[in-house]
Amino acid sequence: MSLFYSEAGRSISYVTLFKDIVKQKQYPYVVRHLDYYSVFKDIIISMADNKELVIIDSDLSEEEYKNIGLDESILQKSVEIELKNIKDVNDLLNCVMNADKWGLTLFTSGTTGVSKRITHNLKSITKAVKVSEQNSQDVWGFAYNPTHIAGIQVFFQALFNLNHIVRLFQLPKSEIFSAISNHQVTNLSATPTFYRLLIDPKSSFPSLKRITSGGEKFDENLRVPLQRMFPNAKILNVYASTEIGTLFASEGEIFTVKQHLQNFVKVVDEELYVAGEFVGKSEDIKLVDGWFKTGDRVEIIALDPLRIRFLGRVNESINVGGYKVFPTEVEELINSIPGVKRSLVYGKKNSVLGNIVLCDVERNDNSLTEPQILEFLRDKLQPFKIPRIIRFVDEIETTRTGKISRK
């Protein structure tokens, strides 16, 4: 039987996973730790036991954590295991794939900073999982927090195909490169921020056959350096959220809405709406005439079939003298400048214009100057979009999910 999970010099086989599960007597009702193997094991046990599991995203701030509303008795609750007729790994997988009463509850801050409780069933959380002989030899580089929706979906794709999972998240670049080479990783899913920090023109990994980007708007400037690093990989851009799970995938920045989704997706005032039946169960989500407002700003490229391009979050726009500036547009240009590691564009209150645009830049070349960046932007952006002040910083904060922190 193949390996299940590898991290920091240790590897755990599917046989060992099975033995650990059958000897376990209980598991926590609420998972809130960051031990990758334990999180994966608790998910599998709850599914085999066909009972609900609650996972608290460890990326939540202290304020958001307080707003979750789970009392201490719930946080300390344990569930007794009642596994039946499970003799080997195949029996275990069969129970997991038929957990019709199982539910997974997640919490997200959403765009308002107020935590929302979302419960997915097996069908909704695994709707994008593909099981086939072709996928059976995949080795997954795990580049997400295991308590985050994106990480959970990668986990299911690997588990249902009995794939090997290799932890890469929050490791130094040198260790990530060693892990990819040593374990011959074939599939990697991560945020654009993760990929941007991974870029190294001197490194190449031919074992990769599939690169998936999600969690943030994909920066097309990453495509060429990524293709150089992973010459045999197909690069996909994925749209997903905690509320919906995975919905779209594209080989570029333009998403074509497939025929079976045509009546369940629409754009209103440049915002993407998704039919309520695609959203996990939640009392915290208020639908608008049966539609879920995603908070994502999109541009319509074509109507039949519907083709869209994601532009950023609706609530991230900066009002400058009546004009809207979307940070990701400016950041993508700045990030394409040689010597820029990453950037963060934001607004500052101004008595005349309402707001002015500012930018923090993390450099990997200290000879890069503010005038050089401004000169680069001058011919590419309208004047009101160009940052008034560029500040060089040692590090731009990211969340545990690998995204740039905008709070």
Side-chain angles (χ1 to χ4, degrees):
M1 187 62 69
S2 62
L3 290 176
F4 166 62
Y5 177 70
S6 294
E7 174 187 12
R10 69 165 177 164
S11 290
I12 299 167
S13 70
Y14 274 92
V15 171
T16 300
L17 168 68
F18 169 73
K19 291 179 179 178
D20 286 348
I21 285 175
V22 294
K23 71 181 181 183
Q24 194 163 327
K25 303 301 180 184
Q26 59 184 24
Y27 61 93
Y29 175 67
V30 179
V31 173
R32 50 175 174 166
H33 50 73
L34 272 177
D35 181 313
Y36 281 64
Y37 178 58
S38 294
V39 172
F40 296 155
K41 184 154 58 73
D42 289 339
I43 294 174
I44 293 171
I45 290 173
S46 69
M47 297 182 77
D49 211 20
N50 218 359
K51 294 175 182 174
E52 182 184 7
L53 184 71
V54 177
I55 293 183
I56 298 178
D57 187 345
S58 57
D59 190 47
L60 294 180
S61 67
E62 284 298 317
E63 182 178 354
E64 291 165 346
Y65 186 83
K66 291 176 182 177
N67 289 335
I68 284 177
L70 296 179
D71 61 42
E72 195 62 28
S73 63
I74 295 295
L75 293 173
Q76 299 299 325
K77 177 182 175 182
S78 293
V79 180
E80 298 297 323
I81 299 174
E82 300 176 6
L83 302 182
K84 299 176 181 178
N85 302 319
I86 297 180
K87 306 180 190 66
D88 54 28
V89 174
N90 290 326
D91 285 344
L92 180 64
L93 187 62
N94 184 61
C95 284
V96 166
M97 296 180 73
N98 291 281
D100 57 340
K101 297 178 182 177
W102 176 77
L104 181 66
T105 296
L106 304 168
F107 291 87
T108 176
S109 63
T111 58
T112 64
V114 178
S115 298
K116 292 181 290 187
R117 180 174 182 146
I118 316 292
T119 300
H120 286 280
N121 58 28
L122 178 63
K123 182 179 180 180
S124 67
I125 199 72
T126 63
K127 61 177 175 287
V129 171
K130 297 178 181 178
V131 181
S132 70
E133 182 63 32
Q134 183 179 355
N135 298 119
S136 65
Q137 300 304 311
D138 290 345
V139 177
W140 278 92
F142 201 91
Y144 287 112
N145 184 320
T147 66
H148 188 259
I149 182 76
I152 291 169
Q153 291 184 309
V154 170
F155 162 73
F156 278 122
Q157 176 64 37
L159 177 68
F160 281 18
N161 286 282
L162 291 178
N163 295 152
H164 182 188
I165 299 171
V166 180
R167 179 186 172 181
L168 304 178
F169 190 55
Q170 292 184 323
L171 298 182
K173 183 189 289 190
S174 60
E175 292 184 27
I176 292 174
F177 288 171
S178 294
I180 291 175
S181 295
N182 293 341
H183 295 285
Q184 288 293 286
V185 171
T186 63
N187 295 59
L188 178 58
S189 180
T191 63
T193 298
F194 179 91
Y195 289 126
R196 194 173 294 114
L197 299 178
L198 204 63
I199 295 299
D200 184 346
K202 298 179 181 179
S203 300
S204 179
F205 302 94
S207 68
L208 267 293
K209 66 178 185 180
R210 193 180 188 91
I211 297 291
T212 304
S213 176
E216 300 170 298
K217 182 179 180 295
F218 183 66
D219 183 351
E220 282 296 322
N221 294 311
L222 282 172
R223 188 172 294 278
V224 171
L226 277 178
Q227 201 68 75
R228 286 178 183 152
M229 282 188 70
F230 308 107
N232 299 322
K234 181 178 181 179
I235 300 175
L236 288 177
N237 185 13
V238 170
Y239 174 78
S241 71
T242 303
E243 296 91 345
I244 302 169
T246 300
L247 195 62
F248 307 127
S250 170
E251 292 188 39
E253 63 176 346
I254 297 175
F255 293 81
T256 299
V257 179
K258 293 183 179 180
Q259 185 63 40
H260 72 280
L261 292 175
Q262 288 286 329
N263 295 326
F264 302 99
V265 173
K266 67 179 181 179
V267 178
V268 179
D269 295 330
E270 295 189 323
E271 182 175 356
L272 180 69
Y273 282 55
V274 176
E277 52 259 53
F278 280 78
V279 180
K281 183 179 178 182
S282 176
E283 296 180 357
D284 300 322
I285 293 179
K286 306 302 180 185
L287 301 180
V288 179
D289 295 328
W291 292 86
F292 171 62
K293 297 177 64 174
T294 65
D296 289 306
R297 178 174 174 258
V298 299
E299 174 188 7
I300 296 177
I301 305 300
L303 289 173
D304 191 17
L306 181 62
R307 303 180 74 218
I308 56 178
R309 177 192 290 118
F310 287 88
L311 302 176
R313 297 290 293 174
V314 171
N315 68 331
E316 287 176 359
S317 65
I318 305 167
N319 190 320
V320 180
Y323 296 97
K324 286 185 178 181
V325 178
F326 289 90
T328 52
E329 177 188 4
V330 183
E331 289 167 0
E332 285 180 13
L333 282 172
I334 295 175
N335 291 339
S336 71
I337 301 173
V340 173
K341 188 174 184 180
R342 54 186 161 188
S343 61
L344 172 64
V345 171
Y346 54 97
K348 180 180 179 181
K349 292 292 183 182
N350 178 271
S351 59
V352 177
L353 297 173
N355 293 278
I356 57 173
V357 179
L358 306 180
C359 179
D360 290 348
V361 172
E362 185 180 340
R363 296 177 288 188
N364 48 32
D365 179 356
N366 290 333
S367 67
L368 182 66
T369 65
E370 181 180 19
Q372 288 174 323
I373 295 175
L374 294 175
E375 181 62 30
F376 177 85
L377 297 176
R378 195 162 287 122
D379 296 331
K380 297 174 177 63
L381 290 174
Q382 294 162 287
F384 66 87
K385 295 181 180 179
I386 296 176
R388 292 288 188 93
I389 299 174
I390 293 176
R391 184 179 65 150
F392 294 109
V393 298
D394 292 333
E395 184 178 13
I396 291 175
E397 183 182 357
T398 59
T399 69
R400 283 182 173 171
T401 59
K403 302 178 186 179
I404 290 177
S405 177
R406 298 186 185 273
K407 296 182 180 180

